[in-house]
Amino acid sequence: RVPSPKKKFKMLLFFVGAVAAGLLAHWMLKPKAAAARPAAKADTCVELVFAPNARPKPAGSYGEESEARIDDIPYAEEREVEWRAILERDFADLQPYCVDAPNRRVVVVRTAHADLEDRTVTFFYQAQRKHMVRAYAIPLPEFVASVQALMHQRSDKVLHSTLILHSTGRCGSTLLSRLFTALGGTFSLHEPDIFLSLTYAKAMNQMEDDDIAAVVRCSSWLLAQATVDNHANTRNVEIKTRSQCILIASLMKKALPESKHLFLYRNAVDTVDSFCVAFDSALGRVLRAIHLDSFFMYSVLKIQHNLPVLAPLGGTDLFPLSSFRGLGAVGLTTMAWLSTMDIAAQCAQDPRFFCCIVRYEELVVLREKLVEEIARRCQLQTDNETISKEQVNQIFSVDAHAEGSRTASRRAPGEAPKYIRQSDYGQMQELLRRHPVVTSGEYVIPGTYMPQ
C-alpha cells in the first residue's frame, strides 16, 4: 500500500530529525580539548589570576552553563595570597561563589556590591559571573576558620534576621521576594549558587555533611553581613535558593538554627508546564514533534547522570528510569517536582522546621495579605505594615524570569498548559500514584497556610 502524502511527510520529518539528532550526538560526545589549567594548590590560599584579556563567560539559560563552577573562571595561574588580610580589607565586596569539591576548596569572588544590583540580570549568580574582578580558592578548613574568626569578632546576630526561601521552582519565588522588598527593611539575594554547588557535592558524595553545614553557615553569614553593611536600612536578608537545594535543607537548618526557613510550592501540572516552556528551544520542539525528545535527553545528553541533583527519586527502585523516561521533559520535571515535595514533606513533619509553608495558588489570590502574614510568622522587621495596591499591581505585572536568562512562562489562571499534552496527564498521574504520600499533583503539605 502506498503511504499517503501526509504520512510521507511525517516519515521525512522523522528521518531528518533522526539524522540531526545523530549528528548533534556525535558533536556533543566527541572529546573536547580541556582548557589548560595550573595544578591546584589545594592546601594554600590562592588568587585565581585571570588570563590576559579574559573574562568569565556569561551565565547560560540552563544546564551546566547556568551553574556556578570553578571552570567559569578563565584563570591561568594560582598565586599565593594572604587570605585573612584580603577578607578583612575587602569584606564588603567578597562573596562565596562555589565549591571546588575535588580539591576541598571554596571559591570566593570579589564583585563590587553596586554591581550585584545590576538590573539587566535577575539572579545573583548571573551578576557575580558578569562583574567579578577577582577570584580566590581557599582550602575548606581555612575558609571556615577565617570566617568564623571574623564572625566571632563582629557577631553572628545577622543570622537571626535571615530568611531562607526554599521552593519547587516556577512557583512565584521571585515574585514573593519582590513583595518582601516592597514591605521595606528586607533585601533579597536571588539564588547565590554556593548553595547549589554544595547540593551537587552532597548528591555526588564529594563532601561530608559536617563540612557542607560549616560552609553553609559561613557563606550565609558572609552574604547576609555584607548585605547589611552595604545597605544601611536593611534589617532582614532573604536568601532565595534554587529548587534543587531542598536536598540540603536539613543541613541548612542544622547550620542555621536561628534563621527562618520558608517553603513555597505550586501544583504539579502548572510547575511542570512552566519548567518545560521556560527551558524549551527550537530544537526541543522539533524533537518533541517527532517523538525523539526522550532519546535526545537520555541517549545524547545522558541527563540520567544528573538525576541525584535534578530529581533524587528518579532511578530509585520506586521510580526506575523506565517509569518516566518515555515522557521526556515532562517526566523529568514531574520527578523533579515530586522529589522536592517528598523532601519538603519530610522536613515539615517537624512543625518547627519551616516558619511558614505557602502555595502559589494562595499567593496570587491573597497577594499582600499573604506576604504580611508570612512576615508576621517569620518575625521580619519591616518598614511598612502593608504594601500599597499600586505596588502590588506593579510587581504582579512583571514576569521576573522574562528579565533574566529564562523564558517567560506565566499563564493566566484556567489557561490550558502550553507544553503538556492531553496524553501526558495519565502517565503523570501514574507516576505520582507510585509515591506513598504525595499521590496527587494537587497534594497539600500538612501545615500549609490556608486562610479561614
Side-chain angles (χ1 to χ4, degrees):
R1 185 178 175 182
V2 179
S4 66
K6 186 176 180 180
K7 189 171 183 180
K8 283 183 178 179
F9 181 68
K10 286 185 176 180
M11 292 170 65
L12 178 62
L13 272 181
F14 183 87
F15 175 76
V16 170
V19 171
L23 291 173
L24 188 58
H26 175 75
W27 176 79
M28 294 187 72
L29 299 178
K30 182 180 178 181
K32 297 177 176 61
R37 292 288 197 199
K41 299 177 180 178
D43 298 322
T44 307
C45 298
V46 299
E47 178 181 351
L48 304 175
V49 182
F50 292 4
N53 302 316
R55 288 292 307 156
K57 58 185 178 182
S61 299
Y62 55 87
E64 291 186 3
E65 291 185 353
S66 73
E67 299 159 0
R69 298 167 183 263
I70 192 172
D71 289 340
D72 304 332
I73 302 168
Y75 68 96
E77 178 188 354
E78 294 195 1
R79 182 184 300 158
E80 292 187 27
V81 293
E82 292 292 334
W83 163 245
R84 296 205 182 200
I86 292 170
L87 179 61
E88 292 197 18
R89 184 190 68 215
D90 300 329
F91 174 79
D93 293 328
L94 293 173
Q95 314 91 35
Y97 184 70
C98 68
V99 289
D100 175 19
N103 293 307
R104 282 179 51 79
R105 303 192 293 184
V106 179
V107 177
V108 179
V109 299
R110 181 181 174 191
T111 310
H113 72 270
D115 289 331
L116 290 173
E117 298 173 51
D118 182 349
R119 298 302 179 188
T120 66
V121 297
T122 300
F123 302 104
F124 190 86
Y125 68 88
Q126 293 172 326
Q128 282 185 303
R129 185 97 63 98
K130 183 177 179 180
H131 296 292
M132 71 170 73
V133 294
R134 293 280 190 279
Y136 305 95
I138 312 303
L140 192 152
E142 173 58 15
F143 173 79
V144 171
S146 61
V147 175
Q148 284 179 341
L150 196 57
M151 199 186 310
H152 180 73
Q153 177 185 325
R154 298 195 55 178
S155 163
D156 62 358
K157 185 178 178 181
V158 70
L159 293 177
H160 290 265
S161 54
T162 297
L163 175 67
I164 308 297
L165 174 57
H166 293 288
S167 74
T168 56
R170 312 305 299 184
C171 60
S173 55
T174 302
L175 192 67
L176 181 58
S177 295
R178 288 180 170 174
L179 289 167
F180 282 139
T181 300
L183 274 174
T186 300
F187 195 95
S188 296
L189 303 178
H190 300 256
E191 301 184 5
D193 253 8
I194 181 65
F195 303 107
L196 180 65
S197 186
L198 290 166
T199 301
Y200 268 94
K202 166 70 174 174
M204 303 304 179
N205 297 312
Q206 295 175 327
M207 287 177 65
E208 298 293 332
D209 285 355
D210 287 348
D211 286 340
I212 292 174
V215 175
V216 163
R217 184 169 182 81
C218 291
S219 296
S220 299
W221 182 81
L222 270 178
L223 291 166
Q225 189 63 58
T227 298
V228 170
D229 288 354
N230 291 325
H231 301 87
N233 296 322
T234 295
R235 294 190 297 283
N236 316 294
V237 178
E238 180 227 352
I239 297 175
K240 181 172 84 74
T241 64
R242 296 212 205 190
S243 59
Q244 300 96 316
C245 297
I246 194 70
L247 185 64
I248 60 169
S250 59
L251 292 176
M252 294 186 75
K253 181 70 173 180
K254 175 184 176 182
L256 304 165
E258 65 274 74
S259 301
K260 311 300 188 297
H261 299 254
L262 170 69
F263 183 66
L264 174 67
Y265 66 106
R266 187 182 188 183
N267 72 79
V269 169
D270 287 342
T271 303
V272 168
D273 193 62
S274 184
F275 265 121
C276 290
V277 171
F279 300 110
D280 198 12
S281 63
L283 174 63
R285 288 190 288 275
V286 170
L287 293 172
R288 182 163 167 77
I290 59 177
H291 304 286
L292 284 177
D293 50 329
S294 178
F295 167 81
F296 182 74
M297 289 174 61
Y298 294 99
S299 298
V300 178
L301 297 181
K302 306 287 187 182
I303 207 163
Q304 60 269 33
H305 298 318
N306 283 328
L307 286 178
V309 176
L310 299 177
L313 286 177
T316 61
D317 291 342
L318 194 58
F319 296 95
L321 190 59
S322 59
S323 67
F324 59 91
R325 175 174 177 154
L327 273 169
V330 172
L332 176 65
T333 48
T334 298
M335 289 307 305
W337 179 88
L338 186 57
S339 297
T340 302
M341 292 291 288
D342 171 71
I343 296 172
Q346 291 181 49
C347 292
Q349 289 178 4
D350 178 355
R352 299 165 299 178
F353 194 100
F354 295 116
C355 65
C356 200
I357 304 173
V358 184
R359 293 197 315 163
Y360 173 83
E361 287 77 0
E362 277 68 54
L363 175 63
V364 296
V365 173
L366 299 176
R367 297 190 172 198
E368 70 275 14
K369 297 300 181 186
L370 180 56
V371 175
E372 291 158 16
E373 176 64 20
I374 295 171
R376 184 187 68 80
R377 292 190 177 202
C378 295
Q379 301 176 332
L380 300 183
Q381 303 173 52
T382 61
D383 294 340
N384 310 303
E385 292 184 1
T386 188
I387 311 171
S388 71
K389 292 289 185 183
E390 292 75 16
Q391 282 181 295
V392 172
N393 291 335
Q394 171 63 26
I395 291 169
F396 272 82
S397 69
V398 178
D399 189 326
H401 294 285
E403 299 177 347
S405 63
R406 303 175 190 171
T407 308
S409 59
R410 188 183 296 170
R411 297 194 280 117
E415 183 183 350
K418 298 176 181 178
Y419 190 93
I420 298 175
R421 296 168 174 161
Q422 195 65 35
S423 58
D424 295 332
Y425 288 108
Q427 295 178 72
M428 285 181 67
Q429 188 55 46
E430 185 179 331
L431 264 182
L432 295 172
R433 278 197 293 264
R434 287 172 173 258
H435 196 278
V437 177
V438 188
T439 56
S440 163
E442 298 291 338
Y443 177 77
V444 176
I445 296 175
T448 297
Y449 174 72
M450 289 291 180
Q452 300 299 321

